[in-house]
Amino acid sequence: MALIPSEQAAERILRAKHILLTTHEHASLDSLASVVALGLILQRLHKTFDAVVPAFDAKQYPNILPKDVDIRAQFGATHSFHLRVNLQHIPLSEFMYDVRDNILDITLVPKYGSWTLQDVGAEQGADRYDLIIAIGTADMSSLGVLAREQADFLYRTDIINLDCHPSNEHWGQINLVDLNAVSNTEVLYHWLHIWQPALFDEKLATTLLAGMIAKTKSFRSQKVTPRTLTASAELITFGASREAIVHGLWRTRSVATLK
């Protein structure tokens, strides 16, 4: 029997060795909270991952969200680069390197004899990540610099695409796009509540509810549905405090920031 997308996503995460968790540039609080919440889940599943929010400003990180997940503002290397020297007939005596004017200078000293150019080779190494989870990204270009500079990497890597917006192009290999949800955190909640209910606690519930409250302006948005309210009530039963979140998101801002 074929797996539905939510089951495919769960199975693919469990098989992944190194995950890139990311979202769009200048992420909304809803998308940021989604990254943090899924990061908490990946930690509890003992998965290796990097969380990248392009152009992320740590000074703007809301106090209401936990700081357990390390958020990076820039993408690191997507693959390694290998230099190879054949030591079968001429062993290595010394290895030295230096960096000057942005140039890596490598010096190898053989124990005897000398190597030829045929003994030296270079090749691109394996990809650093074998799975990408993209949150709130309508299309590949929404990933910003990663799409502009590493398009080949994106095309050859499995992608889980999680979103709630009608503009999403279902561009991932696995698409968790729920148009009946009002926020990415709501999409994430419905999925995680089925897949990993035992991992829910106050910290995770607070993170998800914070994203939902921020996106709906504390449930004042006309897009709020009974399903959204039911999800928020269930998160409160897990320990999330709506009043604390509202206070942390809006009532602690300076007058200058509010203006």
Side-chain angles (χ1 to χ4, degrees):
M1 183 175 178
L3 299 178
I4 61 176
S6 59
E7 294 171 332
Q8 291 175 342
E11 188 272 338
R12 186 62 187 85
I13 286 175
L14 294 178
R15 285 195 294 110
K17 295 180 180 179
H18 198 165
I19 300 170
L20 174 59
L21 173 58
T22 189
T23 185
H24 53 90
E25 292 183 307
H26 307 290
S28 64
L29 197 147
D30 172 41
S31 294
L32 175 61
S34 298
V35 169
V36 174
L38 191 48
L40 292 173
I41 290 291
L42 294 177
Q43 286 178 344
R44 295 166 190 181
L45 293 174
H46 306 290
K47 305 303 296 185
T48 301
F49 72 96
D50 293 325
V52 180
V53 177
F56 171 68
D57 184 357
K59 296 179 181 178
Q60 301 298 322
Y61 191 86
N63 290 329
I64 194 64
L65 298 182
K67 297 179 174 60
D68 303 56
V69 178
D70 180 27
I71 303 292
R72 303 181 185 180
Q74 295 180 326
F75 294 101
T78 57
H79 56 264
S80 58
F81 189 80
H82 296 301
L83 295 174
R84 295 177 289 103
V85 179
N86 186 351
L87 305 179
Q88 183 177 2
H89 302 294
I90 301 176
L92 176 68
S93 174
E94 297 180 43
F95 171 86
M96 297 166 283
Y97 75 93
D98 192 12
V99 178
R100 295 182 222 170
D101 299 326
N102 295 320
I103 300 295
L104 174 62
D105 185 5
I106 299 174
T107 301
L108 304 178
V109 180
K111 282 189 176 181
Y112 49 80
S114 62
W115 295 295
T116 66
L117 291 179
Q118 285 69 35
D119 295 316
V120 181
E123 63 183 12
Q124 180 174 298
D127 288 330
R128 178 175 176 83
Y129 306 104
D130 60 340
L131 176 64
I132 300 170
I133 304 177
I135 294 176
T137 52
D139 51 28
M140 185 180 294
S141 63
S142 300
L143 293 176
V145 66
L146 185 65
R148 293 190 295 271
E149 299 180 359
Q150 301 288 343
D152 288 345
F153 162 69
L154 294 176
Y155 283 123
R156 63 176 178 261
T157 307
D158 290 346
I159 297 173
I160 296 175
N161 165 37
L162 186 149
D163 199 5
C164 67
H165 298 95
S167 60
N168 193 283
E169 297 182 357
H170 291 72
W171 59 283
Q173 280 71 36
I174 302 173
N175 296 290
L176 301 179
V177 180
D178 186 351
L179 303 186
N180 293 314
V182 299
S183 64
N184 295 319
T185 37
E186 184 183 346
V187 178
L188 190 57
Y189 167 73
H190 291 305
W191 174 40
L192 295 179
H193 189 238
I194 295 173
W195 177 35
Q196 295 289 349
L199 298 185
F200 271 77
D201 60 5
E202 179 180 344
K203 188 178 293 184
L204 178 60
T206 297
T207 303
L208 290 169
L209 187 59
M212 293 170 62
I213 287 175
K215 184 64 180 287
T216 62
K217 298 179 175 60
S218 195
F219 302 108
R220 293 185 177 91
S221 170
Q222 294 182 352
K223 296 182 179 180
V224 171
T225 67
R227 184 168 174 252
T228 304
L229 296 176
T230 298
S232 66
E234 291 172 349
L235 287 169
I236 290 173
T237 65
F238 283 116
S241 171
R242 178 179 178 274
E243 288 302 315
I245 293 170
V246 170
H247 184 273
L249 292 180
W250 292 300
R251 297 174 187 169
T252 57
R253 307 288 182 88
S254 66
V255 174
T257 300
L258 291 173
K259 287 182 178 179

